[in-house]
């Protein structure tokens, strides 16, 4: 911390230079971390390629190692090999070192119950974008037969009578709760039917991982997933889907700064909804088949749009913050209705401080009334543009909002101090090197 109570990891960003160049995205953070947890379920080694060097991966690797999984580097750069031959109980104090650092530990419940008959899960972390309850997870685990004991330190789980297949319906298609059910049901006794499941590409990719390990999982229409438990699973070898959140973040940065960025590894099929909006705003892109996607600002005016975030195949909530920075440069009134998280618009205050005109509302400003409408959450935004952004002192509040602050600083006139930039390492691999490769002028203070 600095003398003023601000984080001491500071980036000085000189704005006003359009980003130009080529960068690469690796395996999706939101798949890689889950695929790593899945290795616990196998009785043979697993191999994961294209693993990004990010903080979330380090946390999960550490937790796996604490539980006896041997993790080593593979022959390729960014390849990890996991050997779960000696899974064992970990020391609670050692696990607790990771309290508050990530959301992933909650997904250790099912695999550890299968392997050890008990589990301890530390207090969770992740981005502060709403209360982020875990009630769906706990309800599901109890339905499988787990006994969950919540203590101030964390959660203790046991399964005195084993875990059994069950019929579940999620109140909302939660990504994490769907993964919880998958990672528990694959080795539970009998068949599990999950209704109102999330079907994000990262979930389908996790299903592919589990299928490689020997699981039997059927994805039906209308968000129904059926899992037939099997008595044993082996290892897997998997190249994950690319990080479509990171890809969209760089695309938004190209648009907001008037630049031209090629994102190697980005894949059209996972980003179709984003690409439609990008084009409606006035951005151009070229799909370089098998290689990536080039995104650029063609010059002239950008256009305002109305959009709602939603579960897949809707517009991802994680694409919202980076794109809003670009929308401050569009002519007219853009409307954003955030329907996945109740508090994901807090970062707009910082943009206003930089000269943007964004007003947030409690009302559902979109075609679909959402579950936050009558609950007093500021979850809609109207963005009036174009606005000239100017430099400011910014403190990064969470991962995606943090990257948006960075984009705003790059688009603004003058030099901004961005405090707490290390948080961005949770989900963006080597972002400072990538900024440099794109010609941005940014230096650590
Ligand atoms: N929810 C509940 N109860 C639960 C679980 C979820 O009410 O037990 C609610 C949440 O509060 C939220 C909604 O359901 O309002 C959706 O949450 P979900 O469970 O789908 O989110 P998650 O699994 O915690 C993952 C990603 C997020 C991404 C969301 C939505 C990971 C590690 N995180 O979170 O990614 O925004 O799905 O797609 O996979 C990020 O990468 O920065 C990030 C926040």
């Amino acid at each position: 911390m600095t003398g003023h109570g601000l984080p001491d990891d500071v980036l000085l960003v000189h704005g006003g230079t359009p980003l130009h160049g080529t960068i690469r995205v690796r395996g999706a953070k939101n798949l890689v971390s889950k695929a790593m947890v899945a290795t616990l379920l196998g009785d043979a080694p697993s191999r994961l390629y294209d693993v990004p060097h990010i903080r979330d991966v380090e946390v999960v690797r550490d937790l796996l190692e604490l539980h006896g999984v041997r993790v080593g580097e593979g022959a390729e750069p960014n390849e990890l090999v996991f050997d779960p031959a000696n899974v064992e109980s970990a020391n609670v104090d050692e696990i607790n070192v990771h309290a508050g650092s990530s959301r992933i530990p909650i997904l250790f419940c099912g695999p550890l119950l299968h392997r050890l008959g008990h589990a301890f899960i530390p207090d969770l972390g992740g981005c502060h974008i709403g209360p982020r309850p875990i009630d769906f997870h706990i309800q599901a685990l109890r339905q499988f037969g787990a006994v969950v004991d919540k203590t101030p330190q964390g959660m203790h789980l046991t399964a005195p009578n084993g875990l059994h297949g069950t019929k579940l319906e999620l109140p909302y298609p939660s990504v994490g709760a769907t993964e919880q059910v998958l990672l528990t049901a694959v080795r539970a006794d009998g068949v599990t039917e999950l209704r109102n499941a999330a079907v994000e590409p990262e979930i389908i990719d996790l299903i592919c991982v589990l299928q490689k390990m020997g699981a039997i999982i059927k994805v039906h229409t209308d968000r129904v997933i059926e899992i037939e438990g099997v008595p044993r699973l082996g290892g897997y070898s998997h190249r994950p889907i690319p990080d479509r959140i990171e890809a969209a973040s760089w695309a938004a940065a190209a648009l907001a700064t008037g630049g031209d960025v090629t994102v190697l590894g980005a894949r059209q099929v996972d980003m179709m909804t984003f690409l439609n909006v990008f084009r409606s705003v006035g951005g151009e892109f070229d799909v370089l088949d098998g290689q990536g996607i080039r995104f650029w600002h063609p010059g002239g005016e950008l256009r305002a749009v109305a959009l709602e975030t939603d579960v897949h195949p809707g517009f991802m909530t994680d694409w919202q913050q980076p794109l809003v920075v670009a929308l401050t440069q569009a002519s007219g009134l853009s409307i954003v209705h955030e329907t996945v998280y109740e508090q994901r618009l807090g970062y707009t205050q910082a943009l206003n401080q930089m000269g943007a005109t964004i007003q947030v509302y409690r009302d559902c400003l979109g075609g679909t009334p959402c579950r936050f409408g009558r609950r007093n959450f500021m979850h809609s935004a109207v963005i009036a543009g174009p606005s000239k952004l100017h430099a400011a002192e910014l403190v990064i509040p969470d991962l995606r909002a943090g990257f948006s602050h960075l984009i705003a600083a790059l688009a603004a006139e003058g030099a901004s101090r961005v405090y707490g930039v290390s948080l961005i390492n949770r989900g963006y691999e080597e972002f400072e090197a990538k900024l440099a490769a794109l010609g941005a002028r940014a230096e650590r203070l």
Side-chain angles (χ1 to χ4, degrees):
M1 287 285 167
T2 63
H4 300 96
L6 293 168
D8 54 13
D9 47 335
V10 191
L11 201 64
L12 183 67
V13 180
H14 303 272
T17 312
L19 298 187
H20 272 275
T22 300
I23 47 105
R24 169 175 293 282
V25 291
R26 298 201 178 277
K29 155 182 158 301
N30 292 347
L31 172 276
V32 164
S33 46
K34 328 296 173 59
M36 288 172 73
V37 178
T39 62
L40 274 170
L41 288 162
D43 59 13
S46 292
R47 207 169 274 280
L48 192 56
Y49 300 97
D50 218 18
V51 177
H53 294 294
I54 52 173
R55 179 84 191 111
D56 264 22
V57 165
E58 281 171 31
V59 171
V60 182
R61 176 179 181 158
D62 226 47
L63 282 170
L64 287 173
E65 286 176 338
L66 285 175
H67 286 95
V69 178
R70 282 198 13 231
V71 186
E73 320 290 322
E76 264 188 31
N78 297 77
E79 173 189 340
L80 288 181
V81 183
F82 305 85
D83 184 354
N86 297 308
V87 172
E88 60 189 14
S89 303
N91 175 300
V92 167
D93 292 336
E94 284 181 334
I95 299 178
N96 250 333
V97 169
H98 294 292
S101 55
S102 163
R103 307 272 310 161
I104 312 296
I106 184 88
L107 296 177
F108 278 66
C109 294
L112 287 180
L113 284 173
H114 284 302
R115 286 301 294 258
L116 303 170
H118 62 90
F120 171 74
I121 309 299
D123 228 24
L124 299 178
C127 292
H128 303 293
I129 48 183
R132 303 191 79 180
I134 51 168
D135 50 335
F136 305 166
H137 294 251
I138 293 179
Q139 172 62 26
L141 288 160
R142 287 192 169 132
Q143 263 188 252
F144 280 107
V147 175
V148 184
D149 180 19
K150 286 197 252 175
T151 70
Q153 292 76 40
M155 251 175 14
H156 288 275
L157 296 101
T158 51
N161 302 311
L163 296 169
H164 302 277
T166 180
K167 279 192 175 205
L168 296 139
E169 176 153 7
L170 294 177
Y172 182 80
S174 149
V175 169
T178 300
E179 292 159 344
Q180 182 77 264
V181 170
L182 288 169
L183 291 166
T184 308
V186 281
R187 278 198 49 199
D189 177 31
V191 175
T192 296
E193 183 187 277
L194 176 63
R195 296 191 162 267
N196 208 22
V199 289
E200 268 59 12
E202 290 77 10
I203 294 209
I204 302 301
D205 210 34
L206 179 63
I207 292 176
C208 291
V209 166
L210 294 168
Q211 189 178 50
K212 285 175 174 173
M213 297 174 80
I216 301 174
I217 303 171
K218 298 172 197 155
V219 181
H220 298 298
T221 47
D222 300 327
R223 301 189 173 279
V224 178
I225 301 181
E226 192 185 319
I227 306 119
E228 213 176 297
V230 294
R232 71 158 285 271
L233 292 171
Y236 67 79
S237 173
H238 192 70
R239 198 167 287 280
I241 59 162
D243 200 309
R244 63 198 176 114
I245 305 178
E246 183 180 355
S249 303
W250 290 113
L255 199 56
T257 62
D260 185 338
V261 174
T262 297
V263 183
L264 297 176
R267 225 170 48 168
Q268 179 184 18
V269 66
D270 312 318
M271 298 186 70
M272 280 187 164
T273 310
F274 178 83
L275 294 175
N276 286 335
V277 174
F278 192 81
R279 179 168 278 161
S280 303
V281 177
E284 296 208 359
F285 62 86
D286 192 9
V287 178
L288 313 168
D289 274 328
Q291 292 180 57
I293 306 179
R294 175 184 162 212
F295 300 92
W296 73 97
H297 188 314
E301 280 194 356
L302 297 180
R303 295 180 288 272
V305 291
L307 68 90
E308 286 183 277
T309 64
D310 208 346
V311 292
H312 189 73
F315 189 91
M316 285 186 96
T317 169
D318 307 276
W319 290 333
Q320 181 253 107
Q321 301 93 323
L323 192 80
V324 163
V325 184
L327 291 180
T328 65
Q329 304 308 303
S331 302
L333 293 180
S334 292
I335 298 174
V336 171
H337 182 205
E338 168 61 60
T339 78
V340 179
Y341 287 112
E342 53 273 62
Q343 286 171 29
R344 224 176 185 182
L345 293 172
Y347 72 97
T348 57
Q349 275 181 13
L351 297 186
N352 284 343
Q353 200 193 323
M354 299 176 80
T357 308
I358 305 176
Q359 195 147 353
V360 291
Y361 296 87
R362 291 192 172 83
D363 315 69
C364 293
L365 299 184
T368 334
C370 78
R371 58 214 161 98
F372 309 136
R374 274 179 229 95
R375 290 176 47 212
N376 245 356
F377 291 114
M378 295 291 202
H379 72 293
S380 295
V382 175
I383 303 121
S387 301
K388 209 170 180 43
L389 299 181
H390 51 76
E393 299 228 324
L394 302 164
V395 183
I396 285 188
D398 70 64
L399 179 61
R400 305 300 168 194
F403 199 82
S404 307
H405 284 18
L406 202 59
I407 300 175
L410 292 164
E413 212 162 78
S416 296
R417 276 167 202 267
V418 188
Y419 292 89
V421 281
S422 305
L423 203 56
I424 296 181
N425 293 319
R426 261 199 56 216
Y428 293 88
E429 183 184 45
E430 291 161 6
F431 75 93
E432 287 170 70
K434 289 180 185 173
L435 283 175
L438 297 175
R441 292 188 302 132
E443 74 220 46
R444 282 274 185 165
L445 292 182

